[in-house]
Amino acid sequence: MNRQLRIIVSGGGTGGHIFPAISIANAIKEQHPDADILFVGAEGRMEMQRVPAAGYRIIGLPVAGFDRQHLWKNFSVLVKLVRSQWKARKILRDFRPQVAVGVGGYASGPTLKAAQGMGIPTLLQEQNSYAGVTNKLLAKKACKICVAYEGMERFFDASKIMLTGNPVRQGLTRPVLGHDEAVRCFGLDPQKKTVLIVGGSLGARTLNQCVMQGLEKVKASGVQFIWQTGKFYIVEARACVAAAGPLPMLYTTDFIADMSAAYSAADLVISRAGAGSISEFCLLRKPVILVPSPNVAEDHQTKNALALVDKEAALYVKDAEAVEKLLDVAVRTVQDADKLNQLSNHIARLAFQDSANVIAREVCRLAEENLKNHGC
């Protein structure tokens, strides 16, 4: 191919959208080093920092999410949506991509809608087992829809679906540290079982409350914990830990930069049920207790969790019951070698290998086909 591929990748808002997007972009660059990739995100959201840190350009749209509980507050949201659609069209006219990729999040709606209106081929990456409203609307004109779960024909045209799995952060599947060395990195004892508690990139209030209200259980558990609180909860968490006295079995931090080390250290993970995280657990064969967030569209995290529970590949604790039950379930499970082994074997069966490269090849195929047909 003599002419340069130009590809738009749009979406973000959370790590669950951003990490797959960057992973796809990295795979495209491996396959086509000269490809020009431009990200389109939402102003003020985390992609505006994470994407440039990964080495890619990004332009922000003034888009925001709808307030589903207070509909009268959405006038400004509608104004931002109209402005975003105008800006998206300008970005597309100036950049002239051969294909646009939507990974979910606020920005993907106006960007992909504008691309479809301009005749630019689009590819959607639906990460969850229950399709979001935006992707269901965009799917009608999409060329391909890459999904991570079986049975997505109930949402999308079966002829457009590719079962690819969700891309994960490339470094996670190539761990540098073994279990014992990874545990020592967190100042903990390799001879003891270790539970990793992560609430996503921003933290999870319920998971943090479980630990803050259960510090006496942590002390008496006989196991140890790596606790990522998220940036919004770290001050409160550290205050609770300080008030509880010495807790050598608890490592507390707001953010874990080296998640590969954290996963290597963990015998059991406690997590929300975001699709990206679940894909990581599958690839890494990690036993996990899922506590789905109740504050997501269409309760899709519960559906994600149950898709694993139905295959005996994960344990599930309801958010409303977590403070009462979660730590007890975690301590009991991490000390049960047979249960850990069962969960590890079952979740590994659900893993998709090489998702980012599979999706990247399809993106590049669409771009090359458009370039061949239209010469632009």
Side-chain angles (χ1 to χ4, degrees):
M1 182 61 60
N2 295 323
R3 302 188 200 181
Q4 185 182 40
L5 299 185
R6 296 185 305 278
I7 297 164
I8 288 273
V9 180
S10 185
T14 67
H17 294 307
I18 297 165
F19 296 135
I22 292 173
S23 185
I24 293 168
N26 289 342
I28 292 170
K29 292 295 279 187
E30 286 181 8
Q31 295 173 23
H32 292 267
D34 294 332
D36 191 3
I37 301 174
L38 175 65
F39 279 73
V40 179
E43 293 175 356
R45 305 294 292 189
M46 62 188 295
E47 60 264 28
M48 302 307 293
Q49 287 77 45
R50 295 289 176 87
V51 169
Y56 296 100
R57 292 179 296 143
I58 186 168
I59 299 174
L61 303 180
V63 66
F66 280 93
D67 188 330
R68 297 167 185 261
Q69 295 182 326
H70 308 97
L71 296 179
W72 64 88
K73 295 183 179 180
N74 286 318
F75 178 76
S76 63
V77 175
L78 292 171
V79 172
K80 289 178 179 178
L81 180 61
V82 172
R83 289 176 54 209
S84 295
Q85 288 173 336
W86 279 102
K87 188 171 182 180
R89 281 194 285 271
K90 183 179 187 307
I91 292 168
L92 292 163
R93 283 196 301 269
D94 292 344
F95 186 66
R96 294 181 299 118
Q98 291 101 14
V99 63
V101 181
V103 297
Y106 298 142
S108 65
T111 305
L112 272 287
K113 188 174 186 299
Q116 291 174 346
M118 296 168 70
I120 298 167
T122 58
L123 178 145
L124 304 179
Q125 202 257 321
E126 174 55 64
Q127 293 136 22
N128 294 294
S129 61
Y130 192 91
V133 173
T134 299
N135 272 354
K136 283 190 280 189
L137 293 172
L138 293 170
K140 293 173 180 147
K141 294 185 178 179
C143 297
K144 285 292 178 181
I145 306 160
C146 297
V147 302
Y149 293 88
E150 296 176 348
M152 298 302 285
E153 295 85 359
R154 66 192 193 276
F155 303 113
F156 305 127
D157 181 344
S159 67
K160 297 180 179 182
I161 291 175
M162 291 182 64
L163 184 60
T164 62
N166 286 320
V168 303
R169 292 169 277 188
Q170 275 92 347
L172 291 180
T173 56
R174 300 187 289 268
V176 176
L177 302 178
H179 173 269
D180 288 5
E181 190 178 358
V183 172
R184 291 190 187 98
C185 283
F186 296 95
L188 299 174
D189 182 355
Q191 301 304 312
K192 292 184 177 181
K193 293 294 186 181
T194 303
V195 178
L196 170 65
I197 304 172
V198 285
S201 50
L202 300 178
R205 175 172 292 280
T206 297
L207 300 189
N208 290 333
Q209 287 177 334
C210 289
V211 182
M212 287 187 287
Q213 296 181 31
L215 290 175
E216 291 304 317
K217 288 184 180 181
V218 169
K219 277 186 182 181
S221 66
V223 301
Q224 54 197 6
F225 296 80
I226 300 169
W227 177 25
Q228 179 184 283
T229 67
K231 65 179 182 179
F232 296 125
Y233 304 99
I234 187 62
V235 174
E236 183 182 4
R238 284 179 174 155
C240 287
V241 170
L247 288 161
M249 75 297 296
L250 177 64
Y251 176 90
T252 306
T253 183
D254 61 333
F255 179 73
I256 299 173
D258 188 353
M259 281 303 299
S260 178
Y263 284 142
S264 292
D267 298 289
L268 175 69
V269 181
I270 295 172
S271 173
R272 289 303 200 188
S277 296
I278 287 175
S279 296
E280 293 175 356
F281 305 145
C282 292
L283 276 170
L284 297 173
R285 305 175 59 98
K286 281 296 164 185
V288 61
I289 302 173
L290 297 171
V291 186
S293 170
N295 304 313
V296 294
E298 283 120 2
D299 197 25
H300 68 251
Q301 284 203 7
T302 296
K303 297 176 177 69
N304 291 347
L306 292 177
L308 271 69
V309 171
D310 289 345
K311 295 179 172 64
E312 298 183 327
L315 300 180
Y316 162 49
V317 174
K318 292 181 180 179
D319 185 88
E321 299 174 352
V323 171
E324 178 187 353
K325 296 182 178 180
L326 182 59
L327 287 180
D328 292 332
V329 173
V331 171
R332 184 168 63 249
T333 302
V334 80
Q335 293 174 325
D336 185 339
D338 289 340
K339 188 64 175 179
L340 291 180
N341 189 52
Q342 179 199 66
L343 290 169
S344 178
N345 288 336
H346 288 185
I347 201 168
R349 295 173 189 166
L350 306 179
F352 286 88
Q353 304 295 329
D354 214 26
S355 295
N357 280 315
V358 172
I359 295 171
R361 282 193 289 271
E362 185 62 20
V363 171
C364 293
R365 185 192 68 78
L366 289 172
E368 289 169 340
E369 187 176 275
N370 189 22
L371 191 55
K372 179 181 177 181
N373 292 338
H374 299 97
C376 61

